[in-house]
Amino acid sequence: MDIKKYEVLLKVIEKGSYVRACKELGYTQSGITHMMNSLEKEIGFPLLLRSNKGVRPTSEGETILPYIQKLVAVNTEVEDQCNLARRNIKKKVCVGCFPTISCAWMPSLIERFHQQYPHIQVDLVEENGFEQLEEWLNTGMLDVAIISRQPGRDYDWVDLKEDQYKAVLPKDHDLCRYKKIPAAEMMGPDLYMYRSLDGQDIDVVSYFQRLNIPNTAKFTSYSDHTVLYLIEKKLGIGLLPELLLKLNISEHPDLETRPLDPPVIRHLGMAVRSLSSASLHTRRFIECAVEMVKDNIL
């Protein structure tokens, strides 16, 4: 159904003349004649009577005229609401993530996204606490939260990649004798456990709980980077994500890394309140991140 033909029909009837309708609509007379002939063919009966006195609707045209007026009015209202919605769509995506992800992924991700969609702003919110990021997502402050996957959460999820934790030790530490350090050997009072306002690292805590290893760590730090410097001074050992270590371990030549047995792995991805109702900008940002993971850029 071509609504434009109905709009032209109403204008022809209103003006009572093809010529006057042409002047107002900007069409040629042959153009309007063609549109009306096409519309009458589609409907299956004549709509207009043409005479030297002008143009008026046929009796059949009079019958359906109120419905055509309603159809055009509704279409105009839909178009107005769509235009209003387009003007009100925010031209940004608010993304929350852990500082580690912010350092390792976000510069490249934002660069690629701005190349593809230069008119869309990315607001980046860094937060150490998982629970805080989740709360901001649920309240609508964030469009996307790049976090580790946890069971039983009420949001849509897009997988990105796995990130393994590694033991970080001074080079002369006794545990360096292992190629893979048994999990129970790591837990002790000299283990630095990363901590946010929500508590200790949710992925590491869950790992030791699954293995029924009591949490006896006494030292905590709010910063992964601080932990590296503390270990460098031989003040303890740590468990840090490989995502961070790839960026920073070269700056600490006196440190060694080892995997654990069994491995400590977190599943990183994007949490969204609802993919089906997410904004176009949000969906484009997610698609960009997924493409970069497939291209091994992230």
Side-chain angles (χ1 to χ4, degrees):
M1 179 182 294
D2 187 349
I3 297 295
K4 182 57 67 178
K5 292 179 183 178
Y6 290 99
E7 292 174 347
V8 172
L9 172 66
L10 293 181
K11 185 60 65 175
V12 169
I13 294 173
E14 176 191 339
K15 296 299 180 181
S17 164
Y18 276 26
V19 173
R20 288 192 289 270
C22 288
K23 289 180 179 179
E24 185 157 333
L25 296 175
Y27 289 102
T28 64
Q29 187 168 343
S30 62
I32 287 186
T33 300
H34 175 75
M35 291 175 71
M36 295 302 95
N37 290 340
S38 173
L39 182 57
E40 288 178 332
K41 185 176 180 181
E42 289 173 10
I43 290 179
F45 52 81
L47 294 168
L48 298 170
L49 290 174
R50 304 158 182 85
S51 70
N52 55 4
K53 294 181 180 181
V55 181
R56 61 185 177 86
T58 63
S59 57
E60 295 86 358
E62 289 280 6
T63 301
I64 67 169
L65 184 60
Y67 301 100
I68 293 175
Q69 291 169 333
K70 288 180 182 179
L71 177 63
V72 171
V74 169
N75 181 70
T76 301
E77 186 177 353
V78 170
E79 288 183 348
D80 289 344
Q81 290 301 317
C82 288
N83 290 332
L84 179 62
R86 279 192 288 269
R87 288 195 296 270
N88 290 335
I89 290 174
K90 61 180 181 178
K91 299 290 196 250
K92 68 177 182 178
V93 180
C94 191
V95 181
C97 62
F98 302 138
T100 301
I101 294 173
S102 180
C103 292
W105 284 358
M106 294 310 294
S108 297
L109 180 50
I110 292 175
E111 180 186 33
R112 168 76 73 89
F113 187 70
H114 279 170
Q115 288 172 351
Q116 295 179 352
Y117 307 104
H119 63 288
I120 305 176
Q121 175 185 339
V122 177
D123 284 355
L124 179 60
V125 179
E126 292 181 285
E127 170 55 43
N128 289 296
F130 176 91
E131 299 292 341
Q132 184 63 76
L133 286 169
E134 187 178 59
E135 179 183 341
W136 287 340
L137 178 70
N138 290 331
T139 58
M141 176 180 167
L142 298 178
D143 297 306
V144 180
I146 307 179
I147 51 180
S148 59
R149 186 168 193 172
Q150 305 299 326
R153 305 292 170 158
D154 187 23
Y155 43 68
D156 287 342
W157 180 260
V158 179
D159 272 315
L160 291 178
K161 67 187 305 180
E162 293 182 348
D163 185 31
Q164 185 174 176
Y165 282 77
K166 295 287 187 68
V168 184
L169 320 155
K171 280 192 171 181
D172 59 356
H173 195 279
D174 183 55
L175 291 179
C176 287
R177 70 184 187 277
Y178 291 108
K179 290 185 178 180
K180 295 182 179 180
I181 300 175
E185 295 280 346
M186 281 294 298
M187 182 55 74
D190 62 342
L191 174 64
Y192 280 103
M193 288 280 281
Y194 176 76
R195 185 182 186 88
S196 70
L197 294 177
D198 294 337
Q200 292 179 339
D201 186 319
I202 189 171
D203 293 296
V204 174
V205 168
S206 298
Y207 169 80
F208 285 114
Q209 287 176 344
R210 289 194 301 272
L211 297 175
N212 294 317
I213 298 174
N215 187 345
T216 57
K218 293 182 180 178
F219 300 137
T220 60
S221 174
Y222 196 71
S223 167
D224 287 328
H225 298 277
T226 300
V227 169
L228 285 172
Y229 286 105
L230 290 170
I231 298 170
E232 197 169 46
K233 293 297 183 181
K234 301 184 179 181
L235 298 175
I237 60 176
L239 266 175
L240 296 175
E242 199 168 31
L243 206 61
L244 173 77
L245 294 174
K246 286 180 178 178
L247 291 176
N248 294 291
I249 197 63
S250 61
E251 299 174 10
H252 303 274
D254 295 327
L255 299 182
E256 291 279 346
T257 64
R258 296 286 190 277
L260 265 63
D261 184 20
V264 194
I265 295 174
R266 62 177 178 174
H267 300 271
L268 299 177
M270 297 178 135
V272 189
R273 289 185 302 279
S274 170
L275 280 170
S276 61
S277 60
S279 71
L280 177 61
H281 302 333
T282 298
R283 295 197 301 272
R284 284 173 170 171
F285 183 84
I286 293 170
E287 290 167 1
C288 183
V290 171
E291 287 172 5
M292 294 184 71
V293 169
K294 289 180 179 177
D295 295 340
N296 291 318
I297 298 174
L298 298 185

